[in-house]
């Protein structure tokens, strides 16, 4: 930073003119043969130089220290056994060696977990960008090399980049790879999960040939066990059994052998498949056209997800008129097809004021009973015919109807009321307009109902005249039956005395009988948002026992639920980490899959430097295994290979950059003014003497 | 708390019990007619609905109770499903409160059959043919009307019909206009109307007179002579049966064309499985 600068006393043109003039004088003197021409010319030029004010300029330099970036990876994959200790030991050793070097600073960068995995490349790029490029003497990364942002790894660096890998060369791991899993599936129809077992690293030969024993659990229940050799893709059919979340957990036993695999955390996966109903098929049998029939049609036809097959008995077999058949628009009831062949295709059969008329034979009714016991649903909306000799209760189906008619029909206005059970039951809980003590506005009355003796196992959720059961719900075998002992729910729709929530009530009854999860009276719901889980337990019991939550690592936690309304108990709970949690209160249990069961960190676990290799090569650094020992540190000149083998093992090099900063500037005239004067005078004097005789005489 | 319960119980008891006639109508699906004040017309309405009720009871599963006359200014319509409204010139307009009830009745699924009873006078008829009908129906929320098309579900809700005769014949009968674009939907042979039933049916064929029977079950009003009269009366009853079926079952018959297709789909899914 030293140089010559000029600070002319006169404009440059004048200085130039002096120089030219003195040169011309010197040339003229030469032509005239004057002996002092050189000295006179030089004197003139010296005067011009003095006029230009030459000065010496120099900067004040401060030497700067070198920076070595020391990066340690503390992501979850680095928590595998031994790796943290390896990292700590290397960190200590290198820090000691680096602090022994003169003028060397250490910049520590720690990479943690990110939802997207280990963001090693991003961390490197940021660390390099934060430091002056001229001072970086080296980068040393202590990692397993499993960067999940390979595209972010810088292409080059101003100094050697060294990667010191954790783990050992004998590391190997077996993991479960889910290649394809559907998020939705139709209930009862198989969906396909494609998976394979993958081996990584130095697989011991005895393990490589051994198949993995795969366990498939559906909602926490073991459903299949199968052996799968590594590398073979498997299409696993799974049948969602119910609406809502079906949790499929797939896992295999850790392979045995002398060298155990690195981790079993990637040996299992939990998938959630949302079970959805195919279009619901509802068979509506109206025993006679009546004022409430269109209520059912409005309900079922307004639901785009329902295929309604409706039959109304327009003319009973015992009534005939003389009108020719071709002038009538009546079709025969395809009874055999509906009640024998196709009955299992229906999700719900509604009997709307139906009576035994000889159209359906006893064996059909018996088949309906069997259909319910095998998981079907029947809803009986009964008018006064229920109390007659044509009652459905007197058919073989009567065995499953949850109320036995006494024969009495109440022909009087009555206000439907919710029972205590009804206030808790999802079918009737929270219905708008329900009469409550102290509230004057409530839904309208109905005018007729049949008296029944309810089945002791059934739930009476609504009562009518004289507190007799009005709406009775029951489970029969795997199926459900609902009984409405009045046919006058349509009065609510008509707005009689203000009406009531008729469509909502009928919709809930219908969907409860079709086992919609939201209407289950005993249910355990978990609503996940981030790590916070809102747990809601619906129950018909007065209190809910505390919930036992089994963590993925087997730890058991107990969670108390607080009452949040009639029949509703809830709690908020924060999951400590991702994984498969099992919740149970002894009666109802639920499997909850939080986050991916094997997070990205554990997709690959065997340490590998391949992703960082291009950067390392570009900077002439090295990828070394810490299992071979902590390398020695050397200082090198830039551009030399930065690693090699020494007597005591591997060494890696850093390149001191000798960077400096300029903190100021000095400006010194080349010669003081008197010296210039003396110089010019001396040159002029020499010229004069040379031309004068004295010189010659002297010579 | 006890006091509150007592008050509540008292208010509950204070609620008026509904008119027993209307309760019976709700229980028995009784047919109802509007009392016009004209004794002759009202007697015809009563006898007509009685005759139709008898035919329904004889031939179908519908067994209506005895018909009842409705005073629009007083009676609660929410217990009724079907209202026969003969239009007379002298009939006073119902009160605004009655129109509120009528509009609610139409909106919640009730059906009114307006009968201008002037089908014998050529050149009149239709929803705008009668000044009295216009006066009575103007405050009602009636949708756009159109003559009942040949593929309407009324033509097949029990009997197969081509026209809708009463005591007079051949006049157009009007109902809610089908929605634009509803024609030939899904390739069904006739229109798949929305399940909303037309809230009003308007005609002038004097149906009650055709249906009317006296206490002995004999027709009251003459419809010509001989076999033709019997034939005409039979067709009038068939329209009445179809009408009540339509009122109670809605577009049920219109949907039944889908049933074979649905069953076919079940069958084909069986094969696929």
């Amino acid at each position: 930073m030293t140089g010559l600068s000029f600070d002319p006393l006169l404009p440059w043109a004048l200085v130039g003119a002096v120089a030219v003039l003195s040169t011309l004088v010197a040339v003229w003197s030469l032509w005239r043969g004057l002996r002092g021409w050189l000295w006179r010319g030089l004197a003139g030029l010296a005067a011009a130089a003095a006029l230009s004010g030459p000065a010496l300029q120099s900067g004040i330099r401060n030497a700067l220290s070198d920076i070595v970036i020391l990066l340690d990876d503390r992501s979850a994959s680095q928590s595998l056994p031994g790796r943290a200790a390896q990292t700590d030991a290397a960190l200590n050793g290198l820090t000691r060696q680096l602090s022994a070097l003169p003028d060397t600073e250490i910049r520590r960068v720690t990479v943690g977990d990110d939802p997207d995995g280990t963001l090693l490349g991003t961390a490197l790029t940021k660390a390099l960008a934060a430091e002056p490029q001229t001072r970086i003497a080296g980068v040393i990364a202590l990692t397993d090399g499993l960067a999940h942002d390979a595209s972010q790894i810088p292409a080059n660096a101003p100094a050697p980049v060294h990667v010191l890998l954790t783990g050992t060369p004998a590391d190997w791991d077996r993991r479960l790879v889910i290649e394809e899993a559907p998020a939705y599936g139709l209930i009862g129809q198989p969906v396909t999960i494609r998976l394979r077992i993958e081996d990584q690293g130095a697989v011991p030969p005895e393990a490589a040939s051994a198949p993995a024993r795969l366990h498939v659990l559906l909602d926490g229940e073991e459903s299949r066990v199968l052996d799968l050799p590594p590398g073979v893709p498997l299409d696993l059919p799974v049948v969602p059994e119910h609406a809502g979340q079906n949790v499929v957990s797939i896992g295999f036993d850790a392979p045995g052998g002398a060298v155990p695999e690195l981790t079993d955390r990637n040996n299992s996966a939990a998938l959630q498949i949302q079970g959805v109903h195919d279009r619901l098929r509802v068979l509506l049998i109206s025993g006679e056209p009546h004022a409430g029939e269109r209520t059912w049609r409005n309900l079922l036809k307004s639901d785009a997800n329902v295929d309604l097959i409706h039959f109304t008995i327009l003319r009973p077999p015992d009534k005939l008129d003389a009108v020719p058949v071709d002038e009538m628009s009546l079709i025969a009831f395809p009874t055999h097809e509906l009640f024998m062949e196709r009955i299992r295709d229906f999700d719900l059969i509604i009997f709307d004021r139906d009576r035994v008329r000889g159209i359906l034979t006893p064996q059909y009714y018996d088949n309906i009973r069997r259909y319910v016991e095998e998981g079907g649903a029947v809803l009986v909306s009964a008018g006064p015919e229920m109390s007659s000799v044509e009652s459905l209760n007197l058919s073989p189906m009567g065995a499953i109807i949850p109320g036995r008619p006494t024969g009495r029909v109440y022909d009087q206005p009555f206000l439907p009321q919710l029972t205590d059970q009804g206030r808790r039951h999802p079918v009737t809980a929270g219905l708008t307009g329900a009469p409550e003590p102290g509230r004057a506005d409530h839904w309208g009355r109905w005018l007729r109902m049949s008296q029944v003796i309810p089945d002791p196992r059934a739930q009476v959720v609504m009562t009518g005249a004289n507190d007799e059961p009005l709406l009775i719900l029951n489970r029969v075998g795997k199926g459900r039956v609902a009984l409405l002992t009045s046919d006058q729910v349509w009065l609510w729709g008509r707005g009689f005395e203000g009406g009531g929530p008729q469509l909502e009530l009928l919709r809930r009854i219908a969907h409860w009988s079709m086992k919609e999860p939201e209407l289950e009276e005993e249910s355990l719901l978990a609503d996940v948002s981030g790590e916070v889980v809102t747990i809601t337990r619906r129950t018909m019991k007065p209190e809910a026992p505390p919930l036992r939550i089994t963590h993925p690592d087997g730890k058991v936690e107990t969670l108390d639920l607080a009452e949040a309304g009639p029949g509703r108990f809830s709690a908020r709970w924060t999951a400590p980490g991702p994984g498969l949690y099992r919740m149970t209160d002894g009666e109802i249990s639920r499997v909850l899959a939080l986050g991916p069961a094997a997070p990205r960190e554990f997709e690959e676990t065997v340490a590998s430097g391949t992703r960082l290799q291009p950067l390392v090569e570009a900077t002439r650094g090295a990828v070394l295994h810490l299992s071979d020992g902590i390398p020695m540190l050397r200082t090198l000149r830039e551009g030399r290979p930065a690693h090699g083998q020494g007597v005591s093992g591997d060494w890696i090099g850093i390149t001191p950059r000798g960077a400096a900063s300029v903190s100021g500037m000095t400006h010194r005239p080349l010669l003081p003014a008197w010296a210039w004067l003396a110089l010019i005078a001396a040159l002029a004097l020499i010229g004069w003497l040379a031309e004068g005789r004295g010189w010659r005489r002297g010579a | 708390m006890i006091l509150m319960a007592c008050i509540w119980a008292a208010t509950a008891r204070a609620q008026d019990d509904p008119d027993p006639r209307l309760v019976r109508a709700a229980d028995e699906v009784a047919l109802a007619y509007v009392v016009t004040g004209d004794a002759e017309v009202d007697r015809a309405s009563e006898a007509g609905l009685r005759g139709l009720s008898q035919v329904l009871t004889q031939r179908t599963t519908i067994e209506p109770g005895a018909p009842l006359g409705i005073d629009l200014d007083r009676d609660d319509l929410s217990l009724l499903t079907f209202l026969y409204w003969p239009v007379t010139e002298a009939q006073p307009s119902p009160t605004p409160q009655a129109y509120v009830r009528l509009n609610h009745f139409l909106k919640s699924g009730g059906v009114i059959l307006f009968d201008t009873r002037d089908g014998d006078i050529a050149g009149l008829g239709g929803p705008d043919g009668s000044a009295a009908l216009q006066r009575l129906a103007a405050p009602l929320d009636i949708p756009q009307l159109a003559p009942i098309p040949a593929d309407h579900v009324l033509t097949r809700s029990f009997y197969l019909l081509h026209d809708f005769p009463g005591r007079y014949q051949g006049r157009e009968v009007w109902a809610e206009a089908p929605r634009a674009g509803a024609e030939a939907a899904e390739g069904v042979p006739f229109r798949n109307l929305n399940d909303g039933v037309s809230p009003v049916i308007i005609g002038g064929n004097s149906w009650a007179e055709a249906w009317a029977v006296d206490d002995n079950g004999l027709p009251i009003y003459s419809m010509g002579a001989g076999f033709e009269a019997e034939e005409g009366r039979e067709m009038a009853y068939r329209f009445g049966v179809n009408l009540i079926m339509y009122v109670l079952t809605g577009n049920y018959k219109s949907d039944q064309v889908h049933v074979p297709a649905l069953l076919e789909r079940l069958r084909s899914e069986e094969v696929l499985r």
Side-chain angles (χ1 to χ4, degrees):
Chain A
M1 281 307 286
T2 307
L4 199 62
S5 73
F6 294 94
D7 186 13
L9 300 168
L10 293 168
W12 276 112
L14 244 81
V15 176
V18 170
V20 169
L21 201 64
S22 50
T23 314
L24 284 176
V25 167
V27 170
W28 185 74
S29 306
L30 179 64
W31 180 61
R32 289 296 305 257
L34 289 176
R35 279 194 296 268
W37 67 272
L38 182 66
W39 305 109
R40 288 176 191 278
L42 281 177
L45 284 175
L51 282 173
S52 70
L56 262 182
Q57 202 178 21
S58 60
I60 302 168
R61 285 171 51 93
N62 294 333
L64 290 176
S65 57
D66 292 315
I67 293 172
V68 174
I69 297 173
L70 192 54
L71 181 143
D72 60 323
D73 176 0
R74 301 286 177 177
S75 61
S77 56
Q78 280 279 86
S79 67
L80 291 174
R83 290 193 181 177
Q86 269 182 320
T87 310
D88 287 340
L91 204 56
N92 286 337
L94 289 170
T95 309
R96 213 167 36 242
Q97 292 189 53
L98 284 168
S99 11
L101 291 177
D103 292 334
T104 303
E105 282 178 53
I106 304 172
R107 291 278 187 280
R108 285 282 308 279
V109 178
T110 301
V111 183
D113 272 330
D114 188 273
D116 292 332
T118 308
L119 303 183
L120 196 63
T122 312
L124 265 176
T125 309
K126 272 191 193 164
L128 285 173
E131 306 299 340
Q133 298 294 295
T134 49
R135 291 179 62 191
I136 296 173
V139 178
I140 304 172
L142 306 172
T143 175
D144 51 16
L146 302 173
H148 295 110
D149 57 347
S151 60
Q152 297 293 314
I153 295 176
N156 209 336
V161 176
H162 302 287
V163 175
L164 306 185
L165 292 177
T166 54
T168 67
D171 282 349
W172 77 284
D173 192 38
R174 173 167 285 187
R175 69 164 177 145
L176 177 70
V177 185
I178 304 289
E179 291 181 337
E180 200 180 293
Y184 289 88
L186 292 177
I187 294 163
Q189 308 254 8
V191 294
T192 305
I193 298 172
R194 178 168 297 157
L195 55 88
R196 69 188 149 85
I197 305 284
E198 189 182 275
D199 282 344
Q200 297 172 333
V203 187
E206 76 270 14
S209 55
R213 172 140 297 184
L214 210 58
H215 299 268
V216 182
L217 283 78
L218 189 57
D219 282 330
E221 308 268 330
E222 181 105 35
S223 72
R224 285 177 79 176
V225 180
L226 42 101
D227 287 342
L228 183 66
V232 180
L234 171 73
D235 284 340
L236 181 72
V238 172
V239 182
E241 283 176 352
H242 56 82
Q245 283 184 350
N246 292 262
V247 178
V248 182
S249 33
I250 305 167
F252 60 86
D253 297 336
V259 187
E261 63 166 346
L262 269 178
T263 177
D264 58 2
R265 287 186 66 169
N266 54 15
N267 290 8
S268 61
L271 308 166
Q272 303 201 7
I273 299 174
Q274 198 79 21
V276 287
H277 281 290
D278 195 1
R279 290 175 66 83
L280 297 170
R281 295 199 188 88
V282 177
L283 177 60
L284 171 61
I285 307 291
S286 295
E288 60 191 84
H290 68 105
E293 178 173 335
R294 270 166 54 204
T295 300
W296 289 108
R297 292 183 56 79
N298 287 344
L299 169 76
L300 297 164
K301 295 206 69 178
S302 63
D303 191 342
N305 203 25
V306 168
D307 272 343
L308 172 66
I309 295 188
H310 185 184
F311 281 95
T312 305
I313 298 169
L314 298 181
R315 191 180 69 176
D318 54 338
K319 290 184 186 175
L320 283 173
D321 62 30
V323 177
V325 174
D326 60 356
E327 291 176 27
M328 301 184 76
S329 170
L330 301 181
I331 61 165
F333 211 147
T335 45
H336 186 77
E337 176 155 27
L338 287 178
F339 293 105
M340 298 303 275
E341 294 171 9
R342 306 274 153 231
I343 189 162
R344 272 160 200 82
D345 293 332
F346 291 104
D347 297 290
L348 172 65
I349 302 177
I350 301 174
F351 290 94
D352 167 37
R353 290 198 65 170
D354 196 25
R355 58 178 81 194
V356 179
R357 283 189 196 270
I359 292 177
L360 297 187
T361 58
Q363 79 208 53
Y364 292 152
Y365 285 112
D366 199 44
N367 204 33
I368 295 166
R369 178 189 58 75
R370 207 157 43 234
Y371 153 80
V372 171
E373 284 168 355
E374 289 170 4
V378 161
L379 166 51
V380 180
S381 166
E385 76 286 341
M386 189 196 198
S387 303
S388 72
V389 291
E390 291 175 324
S391 170
L392 289 180
N393 285 74
L394 301 176
S395 74
M397 203 179 105
I400 57 163
I401 296 180
R404 195 158 46 81
T406 59
R408 179 169 177 194
V409 176
Y410 290 103
D411 251 326
Q412 67 190 63
F414 64 88
L415 185 64
Q417 302 269 5
L418 296 186
T419 61
D420 283 343
Q421 279 192 320
R423 286 192 187 85
R424 308 177 76 87
H425 200 291
V427 168
T428 42
L431 276 181
T432 47
E436 296 289 341
R439 277 191 52 188
D441 54 330
H442 50 74
W443 54 43
R445 290 179 293 176
W446 298 1
L447 303 173
R448 175 174 66 187
M449 66 176 282
S450 306
Q451 187 187 42
V452 298
I453 298 166
D455 188 310
R457 290 161 298 180
Q459 290 164 331
V460 178
V461 293
M462 284 175 90
T463 53
N466 292 348
D467 291 332
E468 297 284 353
L470 180 63
L471 175 59
I472 308 172
L473 307 172
N474 196 17
R475 291 157 187 254
V476 177
K478 290 184 193 161
R480 299 177 182 199
V481 186
L483 170 66
L484 196 58
T485 60
S486 171
D487 61 334
Q488 291 202 322
V489 67
W490 62 274
L491 289 177
W492 276 1
R494 277 292 163 76
F496 173 62
E497 292 183 352
Q502 153 248 355
L503 278 181
E504 176 65 10
L505 176 66
L506 296 183
R507 189 195 70 79
R508 288 203 210 169
I509 299 172
H511 285 261
W512 169 83
S513 53
M514 292 187 284
K515 303 176 186 168
E516 189 179 299
E518 281 174 23
L519 292 170
E520 288 298 289
E521 55 269 45
E522 298 292 332
S523 68
L524 185 58
L525 297 174
D527 188 20
V528 184
S529 74
E531 285 190 334
V532 179
V533 185
T534 308
I535 298 166
T536 309
R537 171 84 163 95
R538 280 204 91 116
T539 178
M540 298 298 286
K541 296 197 190 63
E543 50 195 50
L547 207 60
R548 287 176 57 237
I549 303 173
T550 312
H551 290 219
D553 56 6
K555 204 179 97 189
V556 176
E557 182 184 344
T558 308
L559 185 71
D560 286 320
L561 300 173
E563 185 154 13
R568 292 169 64 88
F569 298 84
S570 70
R572 286 165 71 81
W573 173 69
T574 308
L580 196 67
Y581 294 84
R582 285 160 204 275
M583 308 180 172
T584 182
D585 65 352
E587 195 171 289
I588 187 163
S589 43
R590 200 188 142 81
V591 180
L592 183 66
L594 281 180
R600 226 177 151 186
E601 283 296 321
F602 295 98
E603 277 175 13
E604 289 173 68
T605 48
V606 178
S608 151
T610 41
R611 276 171 219 174
L612 292 159
Q613 196 73 42
L615 173 65
V616 168
E617 274 172 14
T619 57
R620 311 189 78 172
V623 176
L624 298 176
H625 288 271
L626 281 174
S627 52
D628 299 334
I630 301 166
M632 300 301 293
L633 213 58
R634 290 189 187 178
T635 53
L636 304 164
R637 279 215 316 277
E638 282 180 54
R640 301 287 296 273
H643 115 273
Q645 291 230 309
V647 184
S648 55
D650 286 303
W651 56 265
I652 55 174
I654 59 168
T655 53
R657 303 294 296 273
S661 70
V662 175
S663 62
M665 202 64 130
T666 56
H667 195 80
R668 241 169 338 106
L670 202 58
L671 286 174
W674 57 265
W676 282 113
L677 186 62
L679 180 67
I680 297 165
L683 286 169
L685 188 66
I686 294 167
W688 183 69
L689 284 175
E691 284 170 16
R693 292 183 189 173
W695 186 267
R696 208 180 203 187
R697 205 176 289 151
Chain B
M1 188 69 201
I2 294 166
L3 186 73
M4 269 163 69
C6 289
I7 292 169
W8 174 75
T11 51
R13 223 173 289 124
Q15 198 170 19
D16 291 332
D17 272 344
D19 186 337
R21 290 187 319 132
L22 295 170
V23 172
R24 184 184 60 78
D27 287 350
E28 297 175 351
V29 201
L31 309 180
Y33 60 93
V34 173
V35 176
T36 60
D38 181 328
E40 176 61 28
V41 173
D42 292 345
R43 208 180 63 224
S45 300
E46 198 274 337
L49 294 184
R50 182 150 40 84
L52 179 59
S53 299
Q54 282 174 12
V55 169
L56 285 167
T57 307
Q58 279 162 21
R59 303 185 183 181
T60 76
T61 41
I62 308 175
E63 298 179 0
L68 73 162
I70 292 296
D71 180 348
L72 289 176
D73 291 342
R74 223 190 50 230
D75 290 331
D76 183 357
L77 302 176
S78 58
L79 296 173
L80 303 174
T81 308
F82 172 74
L83 200 53
Y84 176 71
W85 190 335
V87 177
T88 62
E89 295 291 335
Q91 196 173 151
S93 292
T95 61
Q97 287 81 2
Y99 276 114
V100 170
R101 286 197 290 270
L102 277 166
N103 279 329
H104 182 77
F105 173 71
L106 294 177
K107 222 181 304 168
S108 64
V111 177
I112 299 177
L113 172 65
F114 282 104
D115 191 349
T116 53
R117 304 177 303 113
D118 53 5
D120 52 337
I121 305 168
L124 286 178
D128 45 5
S130 153
L133 173 66
Q134 279 189 31
R135 172 174 61 84
L136 291 172
L140 294 176
D141 296 334
I142 295 179
Q144 203 182 349
L145 299 177
I148 294 179
D151 57 3
H152 195 274
V153 69
L154 255 177
T155 63
R156 63 190 69 230
S157 57
F158 192 86
Y159 294 108
L160 295 172
L161 296 178
H162 304 293
D163 44 19
F164 313 106
R167 193 174 177 199
Y168 314 120
Q169 193 178 345
R171 287 276 308 278
E172 269 176 350
V173 179
W174 296 62
E176 180 176 356
R179 283 197 194 158
E183 280 156 75
E186 298 175 30
V188 293
F190 50 87
R191 265 172 228 160
N192 180 24
L193 300 173
N194 58 336
D195 208 46
V197 170
S198 173
V200 292
I201 294 160
I202 298 175
N205 289 348
S206 199
W207 289 288
E209 292 178 6
W211 299 331
V213 289
D214 61 15
D215 292 342
N216 298 322
L218 295 171
I220 298 177
Y221 294 92
S222 144
M223 284 185 67
F227 176 75
E228 212 170 286
E230 286 310 304
E231 180 72 19
R233 210 177 296 280
E234 168 65 20
M235 295 318 280
Y237 280 130
R238 288 191 193 176
F239 166 70
V241 170
N242 269 21
L243 175 70
I244 301 304
M245 286 292 176
Y246 171 63
V247 168
L248 293 179
T249 65
N251 277 314
Y252 160 62
K253 273 290 171 189
S254 173
D255 275 2
Q256 272 208 322
V257 286
H258 296 296
V259 169
L262 283 171
L263 288 174
E264 188 54 47
R265 208 161 80 205
L266 296 185
R267 269 176 232 132
S268 60
E269 279 175 18
E270 186 98 344
V271 172
L272 284 177
R273 279 179 210 168

